[in-house]
Amino acid sequence: LAVLVMEIFAIYNVYKRARLSLPSKVKKRLEFFIAISVSTGTLLSLVYFLYVVVRISPWFDPRYVIPLAGMIIGNSMTGVSLGVKTLSESITIQKDIVEAALMLGARPKDAVRMFSDRAFDSAILPTLNSMIGMGIVFLPGMMTGQILSGASPITAIKYQIAIMLGILGGVTISVSVFLYLGYKAFFNREDQLIV
């Protein structure tokens, strides 16, 4: 129930942050794709992390599930928000490029590929930056908490690396699913741009 509430709150926050000024049909389809991408990416990453990495018993132990879900869902929410914003702004501002590509025979996916790549880069960058600086520029909360509670620094570092990889996996899957589906919201059945 707690994870479900977190998911709903994250999806709602992405809707709010996006502040899309698009036609209602495009907006509704984007909201649907946002919900699918956030829930798919975060749940796949969380399930993998709980079953393969941590291997807790029972699997639903709230002491592990809630903090891990919070970290994965929170970072995925930020990544998808950035992906939505970048993709929608790129397509609406530079729609002449998309339309020119379509007129020359490109499929919608190919016409927006440059914008999808840019959106992926901007969405994944905050997570990569935090991974690069981890342990050198700043000490993350989970690692610091374990060290202060008396755990070995090596063990704390291993757990922090594992959770950062889980977060990166959740963000990558969520953003990839959104970008795979999201561009379709901007086109009608005849492959015409509708923004």
Side-chain angles (χ1 to χ4, degrees), residues 18-182:
R19 291 192 190 117
L20 304 170
S21 56
L22 298 166
S24 62
K25 185 177 180 181
V26 175
K27 200 172 181 179
K28 284 181 182 177
R29 291 179 71 196
L30 272 180
E31 288 175 350
F32 177 69
F33 294 145
I34 288 168
I36 289 174
S37 62
V38 170
S39 54
T40 302
T42 56
L43 291 176
L44 282 174
S45 183
L46 181 63
V47 167
Y48 178 82
F49 202 78
L50 291 173
Y51 277 104
V52 177
V53 178
V54 181
R55 287 183 243 146
I56 57 169
S57 181
W59 66 268
F60 54 85
D61 187 347
R63 187 175 68 163
Y64 294 98
V65 174
I66 292 174
L68 292 173
M71 288 184 269
I72 292 170
I73 293 170
N75 284 280
S76 296
M77 177 185 71
T78 303
V80 172
S81 293
L82 291 169
V84 170
K85 186 175 187 307
T86 306
L87 182 68
S88 60
E89 284 179 357
S90 298
I91 290 176
T92 53
I93 291 170
Q94 298 179 335
K95 65 182 178 181
D96 53 336
I97 293 173
V98 177
E99 289 173 339
L102 291 171
M103 286 190 295
L104 292 171
R107 294 175 300 155
K109 183 178 184 177
D110 297 324
V112 298
R113 179 163 302 183
M114 172 178 58
F115 305 127
S116 292
D117 291 346
R118 187 181 307 153
F120 182 80
D121 292 344
S122 71
I124 209 84
L125 189 63
T127 305
L128 291 176
N129 281 342
S130 66
M131 288 179 75
I132 290 169
M134 182 182 70
I136 298 169
V137 177
F138 67 94
L139 295 176
M142 188 174 101
M143 188 170 93
T144 305
Q146 285 186 332
I147 292 171
L148 290 175
S149 69
S152 160
I154 300 298
T155 304
I157 290 168
K158 286 179 183 176
Y159 275 113
Q160 188 61 50
I161 290 170
I163 190 59
M164 288 307 294
L165 291 173
I167 289 169
L168 180 63
V171 172
T172 303
I173 294 169
S174 296
V175 172
S176 297
V177 169
F178 171 75
L179 293 174
Y180 179 76
L181 299 172

Side-chain angles (χ1 to χ4, degrees), residues 184-195:
K184 297 174 184 177
F186 295 91
F187 297 91
N188 62 18
R189 289 182 182 167
E190 288 77 35
D191 292 343
Q192 297 168 323
L193 190 63
I194 53 176
V195 289

